[in-house]
Amino acid sequence: MRRIIERVPVATPGLGLYGLLWLLVFTQLDYSTNTKNSIDSLWQSLGIEYLTTDPLGSLSVLHIQPWGVNALYALDLAVTPTSHILLLIVYLLAGAASIFLLGATLQQVGLPRAWAMVTCLIFAFLPGTVLYVFWPYNVTLSGFLGILAAFGLSLIRSRPVIGSCVSALAVLGLQLTRASFVWVFVMLWCVFLLALLFRRFSGRQLMLATLPVFVVIGISAASQGYYWANFRLPAMSSWSGQNIAKALMTSGKLNVTESARQKINQDACLTSLLTAYETRSLNVWDPGGLMQLPGCEQLLVKDANAIPAWDQDYRDSGELNYNSRVGLAASGEWNRMMTIIVLNDPVQLVRMALTTNTGPRSSGIGLYLDPSDEFPWIDEQRSLLPLGSVSGLLSLVFAPALIVLILLGIGHALLVRGSYLRMNVVYWGVLGIVTFHTLVSTLAEYAENMRFRAEIDPLLLLAGVMALYAISRGTQERTDDSISVT
């Protein structure tokens, strides 16, 4: 019996709990209606109309987001247009795979079966794990791709070709799915992978292992090159300036210095835009309103190209088309103005991240550490979750406790010579992703930070458990070579 139990994947209990919770929520939820509403009402979505009538053309002019999620919507609308079963299956499997990969990665880096099993159970019980599966956006997909990148990294020592391919493709998926993971992040991760490979391997094995990394670098550069060539965007979203504008205003940390004001006042359109922004008389995402401001009437707008998702200011339903060519022109003005404001006082982003007038509780970091399930788009799902009040307590302490463990792990690795973490590149690689994501999410965003944090919950848990394991071992020397991939 013991041998049979040892052959069962460590994620099995966690997957069983996840499946049960998923089933209990699904049977009470009108999934098809909710998903239809999400595709049609999410500002980041092109909407059912454009994605159904001209999916390829619409995706070719998408500038508000990377194309990954909208491409998935288009595929679902082509295959299961009313039931949205394709999206249901994709997100269900992405959530399950995150649990499985979490357990597999912990085992790959040398943690005992019991540790990996309990960790999978904790992640399955975390409310956001199952709740975000029912919201077809990028949270669950980002979590899956993040833990997939870590799993690939853990394989490099024993299976360099597979490991490098999996990890590199995972970060490419993050770039194409989530605007925060800009091309610079992908390039840095690929350089990290190449450094590991060149240090450890040579000859044919090195060539085969590095090939997929170079391919990913090429695809990443080409993807970003497309956004630059067609939209003059240095990232795969035109909303950078608007996101920062909304975040600084909402957090109350906006500071327009006299120097910034003087520079802005040299441009008639930016002068009007700053006045409208400071008086809150203009919706940040209303391109038509911006075009009517004094000095902005003659703003350069790219030519129409017979693709409705690009040409129309409003969809046929009457809703604003956030992806229009007019929207791109308006976004450019927001980007210009916010660049001037931030460059003249970049510390205001730090103030937004760290504190508020009433203390740090409502700061960007404070919101980032909040329960990830306290987010409006999954309120209905949360009301249907069994034991929600109990699992909600876990969600309350989840992120703060793991951040403390990770910080203790860093100290342990630096101060304890025989630390399990010191030469463990999986830990440091995961820490790099978590750090990058935290900085981008808290320095450029504000009100939805708890939702952004949910995107890296699997990695946060992975790093925290590894740190706890290292601390529990103390100065014990490494006896299992598999725990280090250097």
Side-chain angles (χ1 to χ4, degrees), residues 178-199:
R178 181 71 174 95
S180 293
F181 291 102
V182 294
W183 63 273
V184 176
F185 164 78
V186 178
M187 297 301 170
L188 290 174
W189 186 263
C190 287
V191 169
F192 175 52
L193 292 178
L194 290 172
L196 292 177
L197 293 168
F198 275 101
R199 179 181 177 182

Side-chain angles (χ1 to χ4, degrees), residues 43 242 276 280-287 289-290 320 322 334:
W43 291 4
Q242 289 151 289
R280 303 193 185 197
S281 59
L282 175 67
N283 184 336
V284 173
W285 279 273
D286 178 12
L290 186 149
L320 189 65
Y322 294 98
W334 281 105

Side-chain angles (χ1 to χ4, degrees), residues 332-412:
E333 296 305 289
W334 281 105
N335 291 342
R336 283 207 303 142
M337 186 180 76
M338 294 314 300
T339 298
I340 295 171
I341 291 173
V342 170
L343 287 180
N344 277 271
D345 180 20
V347 180
Q348 62 187 299
L349 299 181
V350 179
R351 291 193 293 268
M352 176 178 69
L354 297 180
T355 188
T356 65
N357 295 333
T358 57
R361 177 63 183 82
S362 298
S363 66
I365 288 289
L367 294 176
Y368 192 74
L369 298 178
D370 269 353
S372 64
D373 52 293
E374 293 184 359
F375 186 68
W377 277 93
I378 57 171
D379 279 346
E380 181 182 358
Q381 293 92 317
R382 187 174 67 244
S383 69
L384 302 175
L385 184 67
L387 301 175
S389 58
V390 179
S391 60
L393 293 175
L394 171 62
S395 185
L396 184 66
V397 301
F398 180 80
L402 289 172
I403 292 295
V404 170
L405 283 175
I406 290 171
L407 293 175
L408 290 174
I410 294 172
H412 190 272

Side-chain angles (χ1 to χ4, degrees), residues 215-297:
V215 170
V216 164
I217 289 175
I219 297 175
S220 173
S223 299
Q224 180 54 59
Y226 183 86
Y227 274 66
W228 174 256
N230 289 274
F231 314 123
R232 285 296 182 266
L233 295 175
M236 293 178 71
S237 172
S238 57
W239 283 358
S240 300
Q242 289 151 289
N243 284 334
I244 294 176
K246 178 176 178 290
L248 286 173
M249 182 62 76
T250 304
S251 65
K253 292 304 175 182
L254 174 68
N255 178 37
V256 184
T257 66
E258 188 59 33
S259 175
R261 198 174 297 276
Q262 290 177 1
K263 189 167 185 179
I264 288 172
N265 286 339
Q266 295 174 11
D267 184 288
C269 182
L270 293 189
T271 300
S272 299
L273 181 57
L274 178 60
T275 300
Y277 173 47
E278 291 184 307
T279 59
R280 303 193 185 197
S281 59
L282 175 67
N283 184 336
V284 173
W285 279 273
D286 178 12
L290 186 149
M291 300 287 285
Q292 296 175 13
L293 295 175
C296 299
E297 303 93 340

Side-chain angles (χ1 to χ4, degrees), residues 289-484:
L290 186 149
M291 300 287 285
Q292 296 175 13
L293 295 175
C296 299
E297 303 93 340
Q298 303 302 318
L299 197 63
L300 182 63
V301 178
K302 287 181 175 291
D303 294 336
N305 60 8
I307 298 176
W310 173 259
D311 296 345
Q312 295 180 349
D313 296 337
Y314 291 87
R315 302 176 186 175
D316 291 346
S317 62
E319 296 182 10
L320 189 65
N321 173 23
Y322 294 98
N323 192 70
S324 70
R325 60 197 180 103
V326 175
L328 178 62
S331 294
E333 296 305 289
W334 281 105
N335 291 342
R336 283 207 303 142
M337 186 180 76
M338 294 314 300
T339 298
I340 295 171
I341 291 173
V342 170
L343 287 180
N344 277 271
D345 180 20
V347 180
Q348 62 187 299
L349 299 181
V350 179
R351 291 193 293 268
M352 176 178 69
L354 297 180
T355 188
T356 65
N357 295 333
T358 57
R361 177 63 183 82
S362 298
S363 66
I365 288 289
L367 294 176
Y368 192 74
L369 298 178
D370 269 353
S372 64
D373 52 293
E374 293 184 359
F375 186 68
W377 277 93
I378 57 171
D379 279 346
E380 181 182 358
Q381 293 92 317
R382 187 174 67 244
S383 69
L384 302 175
L385 184 67
L387 301 175
S389 58
V390 179
S391 60
L393 293 175
L394 171 62
S395 185
L396 184 66
V397 301
F398 180 80
L402 289 172
I403 292 295
V404 170
L405 283 175
I406 290 171
L407 293 175
L408 290 174
I410 294 172
H412 190 272
L414 297 177
L415 300 176
V416 179
R417 185 173 183 180
S419 174
Y420 155 82
L421 296 175
R422 174 167 286 200
M423 300 300 294
N424 195 312
V425 297
V426 174
Y427 181 75
W428 297 109
V430 168
L431 182 62
I433 300 178
V434 170
T435 301
F436 177 88
H437 186 273
T438 301
L439 289 175
V440 172
S441 298
T442 57
L443 294 177
E445 303 282 359
Y446 178 74
E448 298 181 29
N449 285 3
M450 76 293 288
R451 187 256 290 184
F452 301 136
R453 210 268 346 288
E455 298 167 350
I456 60 159
D457 276 351
L459 292 179
L460 204 62
L461 185 55
L462 174 67
V465 170
M466 290 177 69
L468 181 61
Y469 178 67
I471 295 169
S472 72
R473 286 167 56 95
T475 59
Q476 180 180 346
E477 292 294 331
R478 295 184 295 270
T479 57
D480 184 354
D481 194 45
S482 68
I483 65 175
S484 175

